[in-house]
Each structure stands twice: as C-alpha cells, then as structure tokens.
C-alpha cells in the first residue's frame, strides 16, 4: 500500500506503507521508533517491553497473531523522502476478542442495523491490557507531523481494507489528547495499579495502611504459604523450558476455565524467553518440589507488568500472594515506580492497588454509528470518572489526620470482598 495523506503548504507529501508483519522491518528500525526520545517524551518509561520488536515478533512468529487467529498484522509506516517518520502496531481484526476494551455492543447494534462492523483496524498490543506508546516516532522526527501522517495512513488503510473503524487502545493520555484533536472519539476505563511511594521494604508499604488492612494482608500471606509452599522469582537465563512447561499448564488451566480458548500457545513463551528473557519475571510456587502455581510478569524500566496466572492446586490466598504481593516485593527491590496488575479486578483495591484511568480512541467511518457511539462515550466517561473517585476513597491507606481505628471503622462495611 502506498498512499499520500495529502501535502500541505509547509509539508511535503508523505508515503504510507502497510507492513504485513514485522519481518518487513528490522528490529533495530522498529525499536529506534519505539524507544526514541520523541516517543518516550510523554511517559515515564524508557523501555516498555510490549512495544518492542522482540515481543511483537514473538506473537507473530508463534502464530498467536495471524490471519487465522483474526489478528492480521498491517503495521503502518510513514516515510518522507525515503526516511521513516514513525510506525504504528496495527492489526486487521475479524472479531473483538483479546482486546480488553469492549465494543461488542457497538458491533451488535451496527450489524442489527444492516452494517458490517468487521473487519476493523486495531492499534494495540494483542492480548495485552497495558498502557504504552502507540504512535512510535522515529528519532529526530517532528512528533506532530509524524502523528498526523500516521493518523492519515490509518484512515487510508481503513478505506482500502473496507474496515468500519480504527481503535487505538491503552494509549498514553498525551496521545489520547492528540487523537481527540484529530477527530477520534475518546473513551476511558479503569485499572488498579500499585504505586511505590519510596518504600524500602514490604513492611514500609504496610505501615501506610490502616491497621485492620495491615493485619488482613499479613494473614493472607501467612495462610497462602502455610502448607509448606515456597515461592521463587526467575528471570533471564534462570528460566528453563521445564519452567515454561509448568507455567503453560497453569496458563491453560486458567484460560480453559475462564475463556474456553487461551490466546497464547506454548511456542510463544519459548520465543519470549529466547528474545527477551531479561525482561521476564516468572513467580513460581511449589510444594514438595513440584510447581503448583505461577504468574508471568514483564519488567519495564519504571513498572512491573503482571500478565497471566494459573494453578493446578487451589490454595486460599495463593493467587494474591503470587500475583500481587510478590510483585510488590519485586518492585520495591528493583526500585520500580509501580505494579500494573492487568485488567479489571476490584479485589485488588484491598491489596493496596489504586484505581487509574485508561485511555482509548476510536475513529468510526459511518456517521450514524459515530453519533451513537459519541453520545454513549460522553455518558460513559462521566460514569468512569465518578467510579474512580468513589473507589479511590475506599483504598486501605490511612487517611491524613485520622487514626487507624477510625479509618478502619469508616470503611468496615464498604471494603470489597477479600475472598480469592
């Protein structure tokens, strides 16, 4: 595909290419855009592992992302005079699975009205509800010009593929603002993140909580490990294929019970370990020398990203220990700013994770569907903002000028359930 977004008096014509896979662009060229000062300027990460060529190519080369799975790679690249200005990770989708920003209702309404919602263009990291850069700007390129070219390229690709819409999900707020200025509809949602307030130890974190909550978390940690369970952290060369075999059994068990068809295959994890093992943290629990549960995390320069968990034995509170408390331990030890524990889950609130806004942007071709979605999103944004404020007031942290006892009593009837 070659398209000219259209010259302006002060900008020459740009060339847009749709790349049918990361094999069309070298790792050095892609990562130069993903980790350039221009791309990173709006965030606190110097390395977000999910936008790396290594991670995205592992998804493609393992077959997890392909035409067969409904994720056809069509990455957009914008060039001027043969020099790349930026790239976008983009996929032509035939369904809405694996995205974590739900538009099934939009699709159903449009198709009942006689429209065809699929295919659609998805600008995201497949199967990954993690905020990060989506418009990847080449070093030295003008961010405004490159972003405008990438948006124009996405719209041209939408027309060429007869896609109904473009969806940019889990984008940074600065990109969200730019997308709104470019005419995209703006959407918000929430997640729960743990913030590192300069803690030196896990006990320092607990000291910031109301007394009752401290006691609850200590009890959960004791109960999780009481039956002789031990937990280990594995990174880099310490992760073997035997570890992946054990973890994949956990992953398949959880995925089969929750979704019916897990998104990731066994080969993906081997490729991930081969290409970026130093960015992987496996938290594995074992009893009597046999692994019984585990969680995979990816390590950024500012955050630890919790992704998938599974177990083959049910043990009360083990999920919280392996996924949340061990992640906090690791983040404190590494001096990371936060832990992002994935999508949804108000039970994270009681474990010290706070509500945080997520951002996505949507460009819909059909005017009638666009108007209906715009009206819905206006009301949804207000609801999400209100929900974040309400939930943030229910965090287990001590309130200023309030004692532990008063603070705990004020929330004793409003805290979310703490069962695993």
């Amino acid at each position: 595909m070659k398209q000219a977004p259209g010259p302006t008096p002060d900008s020459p014509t740009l060339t847009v290419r749709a790349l049918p896979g990361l094999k069309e662009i070298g790792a050095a060229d892609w990562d130069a855009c993903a980790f350039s000062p221009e791309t990173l300027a709006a965030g606190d990460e110097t390395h977000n592992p999910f936008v790396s060529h290594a991670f995205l190519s592992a998804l493609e080369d393992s077959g997890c992302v392909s035409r067969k799975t409904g994720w056809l790679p069509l990455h957009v690249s914008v060039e001027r005079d043969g020099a790349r200005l930026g790239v976008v990770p983009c996929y032509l989708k035939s369904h809405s699975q694996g995205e974590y920003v739900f538009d099934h209702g939009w699709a159903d309404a449009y198709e009942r009205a006689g429209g065809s919602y699929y295919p659609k263009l998805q600008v995201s990291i497949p199967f990954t509800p993690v905020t990060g850069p989506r418009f990847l700007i080449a070093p030295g390129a003008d961010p405004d010009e490159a972003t405008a070219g990438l948006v124009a390229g996405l719209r041209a690709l939408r027309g060429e593929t007869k896609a109904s819409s473009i969806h940019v999900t889990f984008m940074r707020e600065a990109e969200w603002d730019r997308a709104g200025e470019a005419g995209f509809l703006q959407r918000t949602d929430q997640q729960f993140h743990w913030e590192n307030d300069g803690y030196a130890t896990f006990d320092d974190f607990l000291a910031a909580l109301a007394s009752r909550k401290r006691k609850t978390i200590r009890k959960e940690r004791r109960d999780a490990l009481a039956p002789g369970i031990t937990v280990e952290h594995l990174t880099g060369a310490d992760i073997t294929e035997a570890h992946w075999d054990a973890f994949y059994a956990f992953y398949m068990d959880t995925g089969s019970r929750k979704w019916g068809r897990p998104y990731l295959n066994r080969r993906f994890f081997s490729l991930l370990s081969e290409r970026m093992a130093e960015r992987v943290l496996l938290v594995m629990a074992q009893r009597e020398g046999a692994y019984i549960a585990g969680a995979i995390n990816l390590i950024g320069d500012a955050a630890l990203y919790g992704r998938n968990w599974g177990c083959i034995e049910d043990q009360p509170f083990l999920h919280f220990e392996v996924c949340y408390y061990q992640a906090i331990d690791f983040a404190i030890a590494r001096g990371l700013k936060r832990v992002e524990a994935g999508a949804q889950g108000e039970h994270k609130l009681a474990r010290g994770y706070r509500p945080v806004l997520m951002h996505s942007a949507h460009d819909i071709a059909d005017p009638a569907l666009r108007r209906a979605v715009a009206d819905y999103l206006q009301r949804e944004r207000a609801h999400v903002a209100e929900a974040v404020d309400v939930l943030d007031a229910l965090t287990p942290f001590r309130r200023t000028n309030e004692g532990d006892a008063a603070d705990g009593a004020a929330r004793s009837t409003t805290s979310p359930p703490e069962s695993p």
Side-chain angles (χ1 to χ4, degrees):
M1 167 191 176
K2 291 186 180 180
Q3 295 286 341
T8 63
D10 57 352
S11 176
T13 299
L14 303 180
T15 300
V16 178
R17 303 181 188 277
L19 309 175
L22 286 175
K23 285 185 169 59
E24 300 293 319
I25 179 172
D29 287 345
W30 180 273
D31 288 347
C33 296
F35 305 124
S36 71
E38 291 75 11
T39 295
L40 299 172
D44 64 356
E45 279 276 44
T46 55
H47 188 102
N48 182 302
F50 298 101
V51 297
S52 68
H53 192 282
F55 185 84
L56 293 171
S57 66
L59 288 171
E60 292 183 14
D61 294 346
S62 64
C64 296
V65 164
S66 66
R67 182 187 295 274
K68 182 178 179 180
T69 63
W71 288 81
L72 179 66
L74 285 177
H75 308 304
V76 173
S77 173
V78 172
E79 302 170 7
R80 184 185 59 208
D81 299 329
R84 184 172 285 107
L85 298 184
V87 292
V88 164
C90 182
Y91 305 87
L92 189 68
K93 292 290 304 296
S94 59
H95 53 70
S96 291
Q97 304 301 317
E99 298 166 8
Y100 303 92
V101 175
F102 302 110
D103 62 348
H104 302 88
W106 307 355
D108 291 344
Y110 193 49
E111 290 176 3
R112 284 199 304 269
S116 296
Y117 193 74
Y118 303 106
K120 66 176 186 177
L121 291 177
Q122 187 74 25
V123 176
S124 68
I125 308 303
F127 325 124
T128 306
V130 171
T131 292
R134 297 296 178 259
F135 297 98
L136 312 182
I137 312 302
D142 178 77
D144 290 334
E145 179 188 22
T147 300
L150 290 167
V151 168
L154 286 167
R155 285 172 168 159
L157 183 59
R158 182 185 63 192
E160 185 167 311
T161 59
K162 297 182 170 54
S164 71
S165 47
I166 305 165
H167 305 266
V168 187
T169 52
F170 296 99
M171 63 199 308
R172 296 175 304 175
E173 189 171 3
E175 292 178 319
W176 186 70
D177 290 336
R178 281 183 177 171
E181 293 169 358
F184 280 63
L185 303 179
Q186 294 176 298
R187 190 176 195 183
T188 56
D189 201 348
Q190 68 177 24
Q191 284 185 351
F192 297 91
H193 297 174
W194 178 83
E195 300 290 339
N196 187 352
D197 194 18
Y199 306 121
T201 66
F202 194 92
D203 281 342
D204 286 346
F205 156 60
L206 290 181
L209 307 184
S211 175
R212 185 175 64 88
K213 293 299 184 180
R214 285 200 298 272
K215 293 176 182 176
T216 296
I217 290 176
R218 286 189 175 120
K219 183 179 185 303
E220 287 183 353
R221 299 201 78 176
R222 286 195 305 269
D223 290 351
L225 304 180
I229 295 174
T230 59
V231 176
E232 61 181 343
H233 294 179
L234 299 163
T235 62
D238 291 336
I239 304 174
T240 68
E241 288 298 297
H243 291 123
W244 285 123
D245 287 340
F247 175 77
Y248 192 65
F250 309 149
Y251 170 73
M252 289 296 291
D253 180 76
T254 298
S256 296
R257 284 188 284 109
K258 284 189 174 183
W259 308 298
R261 188 178 64 183
Y263 300 128
L264 303 172
N265 59 31
R266 175 63 181 82
R267 176 164 164 72
F268 166 76
F269 294 104
S270 290
L271 291 176
L272 191 69
S273 200
E274 175 186 304
R275 296 175 185 183
M276 52 188 301
E278 73 285 353
R279 292 286 176 179
V280 175
L281 167 66
L282 271 184
V283 179
M284 300 289 280
Q286 59 181 316
R287 191 206 315 264
E288 297 178 356
Y291 289 115
I292 62 170
I296 183 174
N297 307 261
L298 263 66
I299 307 167
D301 288 342
L304 181 68
Y305 301 98
R307 285 304 307 115
N308 304 105
W309 135 274
C311 65
I312 55 174
E313 286 188 22
D314 290 326
Q315 169 64 30
F317 307 117
L318 187 58
H319 174 221
F320 300 151
E321 175 65 25
V322 170
C323 293
Y324 308 142
Y325 302 142
Q326 290 289 330
I328 291 173
D329 276 333
F330 184 88
I332 291 173
R334 284 288 185 101
L336 300 176
K337 295 180 181 179
R338 64 186 179 278
V339 177
E340 299 190 17
Q344 304 163 342
E346 290 187 10
H347 59 277
K348 298 168 188 170
L349 194 70
R351 278 92 205 164
Y353 289 69
R354 302 186 109 133
V356 178
L357 280 178
M358 300 289 102
H359 301 85
S360 62
H362 310 267
D363 198 44
I364 298 171
D366 185 278
L369 179 61
R370 179 185 174 86
R371 285 193 298 270
V373 170
D375 178 68
Y376 169 78
L377 292 181
Q378 183 177 10
R379 290 179 280 113
E380 185 188 49
R381 286 194 301 272
H383 172 74
V384 169
E386 181 180 359
V388 166
D389 288 342
V390 169
L391 290 170
D392 196 55
L394 300 177
T395 61
F397 292 89
R398 288 183 294 166
R399 297 178 185 180
T400 305
N401 299 324
E402 290 188 82
D404 280 350
D407 186 66
R411 291 194 296 269
S412 62
T413 60
T414 56
S415 295
E418 296 185 5
S419 59

